[in-house]
Amino acid sequence: MSVLDRTKRDERTASEYDERIGPGVIAGYGAVAAGALLLLLFAVLLVAWVTDPRSGGQWMAVLGLSGDVWSLAHGGRLHAPVVGSVVFAPLLVTFAAIALARTAARPVLATGSRRGLWLTTAAFVGGYAVAGVAISALGYLAPATPSLVWVIPGALVVPVLGFVWAVARDTHDGPLRAELSAQYDRIPPVVRKAVRPGLEGLAALTGLGALIVLIAVLTHLSRIGAVGATLDMGLVGLAMLWGGQLAALPNVLAWATTWASGGGLQIGPVDLGIGQVSPGTLPAFPALGAIPEAGPLSPLMLLAPAAVVAIGAAIGWRVTSRTSVLSSVTSKLTQAAVASGIASVTVVLVALVGRAGLGDGAMAYVGPTPLACLLLIVEVMGAALLTTALVHWLRSSH
């Protein structure tokens, strides 16, 4: 067999592969990713329903509750009897959905399909979104009914992130990764160089939020335990309660980071400022026991904005340390702006997406204030730009 004949056979085989792994099959993988999260949620909730002797109703209600949680994890909203609107995105479940989407995308990449990146992504995302709307509709089997329109944006963003993540980490170096790399190379180098300092700054801001939450929890452990002890929920109920609180950990970390900017948080009727906490009655929820009592806070809390500014300065220093001394100040300032924007804007977006609310009463909004979001961006970006300009001037003067 000649080399030309073998090449033609390989091309024919690749063409047959592409026909077999068509858009419909790719969309099926997307639907599988959406269904995998539903099965995971259903298994957990079904175990709780079976093992708790006080649980009532039919197992179909558990299926409906699974659809409700799936909807909330994708930014959906529910309408519960008596309570009204329920807004709460358990972001840890959302991250699990992204990871499952990445896993479901791997077989698509392993086929070596030569279909375009955009067509393949659109098919995968389309299958996930259609299945997601159907899964959310299962919520009508539960007392709290979903609003399907609110699910659609999340059902599009989650599979996009999962699929792009899978392509970027594809170990087969297939054609889709090559196309994604080509698209990434079109981004100006000054912007690409800012990605790593930006991610490092994002990790530092997240660490600051984690430190604040850890301090709040450790200093109010007795109150958190007392609130938990008042809840007569049984062993399984308490496990579900603490599991739900754990699922909201990314939300809380983002809220704590925005609070550190000095703009404060709004937790229903309570305003948690950088210097004091306003009085207000909160529901008996263990995690809320970590909120300090009404009144002035420790003066040490005023150091939190300084920590945010220090992180912004560190981003600016990292930018200058990664660039040549001969690079123009404009290039360095552009990198600092992009890197600090990646860090601060990402935290703000996570905090806003992870907001919560219950009905139209006192607990209608839980999350960062607009001032906190604005201050975080201004402090991080401002410190990064000033540090970059100062370091550039010091190095140029020598």
Side-chain angles (χ1 to χ4, degrees):
M1 179 183 294
S2 66
V3 175
L4 182 60
D5 292 336
R6 181 174 299 176
T7 302
K8 289 182 178 179
R9 188 187 68 174
D10 292 342
E11 291 177 351
R12 186 167 55 254
T13 303
S15 177
E16 293 172 354
Y17 235 178
D18 284 347
E19 291 177 0
R20 204 160 56 241
I21 309 299
V25 176
I26 298 172
Y29 280 110
V32 167
L37 180 62
L38 173 67
L39 291 177
L40 179 62
L41 294 172
F42 179 68
V44 173
L45 295 174
L46 185 62
V47 168
W49 178 76
V50 171
T51 55
D52 192 346
R54 292 176 297 182
S55 61
Q58 301 294 326
W59 70 270
M60 294 293 288
V62 179
L63 183 61
L65 181 58
S66 304
D68 283 342
V69 177
W70 195 101
S71 177
L72 290 175
H74 290 74
R77 295 187 178 184
L78 305 178
H79 182 79
V82 181
V83 175
S85 177
V86 177
V87 179
F88 172 63
L91 291 182
L92 197 61
V93 181
T94 306
F95 295 154
I98 296 174
L100 288 173
R102 179 200 178 190
T103 302
R106 287 178 176 176
V108 178
L109 307 181
T111 61
S113 174
R114 287 170 172 75
R115 297 182 183 276
L117 175 64
W118 303 119
L119 175 61
T120 308
T121 305
F124 184 85
V125 173
Y128 189 101
V130 171
V133 173
I135 290 171
S136 298
L138 294 175
Y140 287 103
L141 299 174
T145 57
S147 177
L148 299 183
V149 175
W150 286 95
V151 179
I152 296 176
L156 294 175
V157 173
V158 166
V160 167
L161 295 177
F163 193 84
V164 172
W165 183 12
V167 174
R169 304 296 295 178
D170 183 14
T171 57
H172 299 87
D173 291 329
L176 295 182
R177 182 178 181 181
E179 188 174 349
L180 181 64
S181 299
Q183 296 293 334
Y184 183 75
D185 291 339
R186 293 182 181 180
I187 301 175
V190 68
V191 176
R192 296 202 305 268
K193 293 178 180 179
V195 173
R196 183 168 182 176
L199 294 179
E200 292 172 351
L202 176 60
L205 288 173
T206 304
L208 175 62
L211 179 61
I212 294 172
V213 172
L214 181 62
I215 293 174
V217 170
L218 292 179
T219 54
H220 298 90
L221 273 177
S222 58
R223 188 193 305 171
I224 294 174
V227 174
T230 61
L231 302 176
D232 183 20
M233 304 180 65
L235 182 60
V236 176
L238 286 176
M240 296 297 295
L241 175 63
W242 287 100
Q245 292 178 116
L246 180 62
L249 182 59
N251 310 50
V252 177
L253 296 182
W255 296 345
T257 305
T258 56
W259 171 87
S261 67
L265 291 175
Q266 182 180 344
I267 307 176
V270 175
D271 292 325
L272 180 58
I274 195 68
Q276 66 177 4
V277 179
S278 67
T281 302
L282 295 174
F285 200 67
L288 297 180
I291 299 174
E293 294 181 357
L297 296 176
S298 170
L300 294 177
M301 295 294 100
L302 299 177
L303 296 177
V308 174
V309 172
I311 292 174
I315 294 174
W317 180 83
R318 283 291 291 151
V319 167
T320 55
S321 66
R322 290 170 55 86
T323 55
S324 171
V325 177
L326 301 178
S327 299
S328 66
V329 66
T330 303
S331 174
K332 293 177 180 177
L333 289 175
T334 302
Q335 291 184 46
V338 174
S340 57
I342 291 173
S344 58
V345 174
T346 300
V347 172
V348 169
L349 289 177
V350 172
L352 293 177
V353 171
R355 71 194 185 283
L358 195 62
D360 299 325
M363 294 296 295
Y365 181 79
V366 177
T369 63
L371 178 61
C373 297
L374 178 61
L375 283 178
L376 183 70
I377 296 174
V378 170
E379 289 170 4
V380 174
M381 295 189 69
L385 292 173
L386 287 175
T387 302
T388 301
L390 178 61
V391 173
H392 175 80
W393 178 75
L394 291 174
R395 289 182 173 179
S396 299
S397 61
H398 288 79

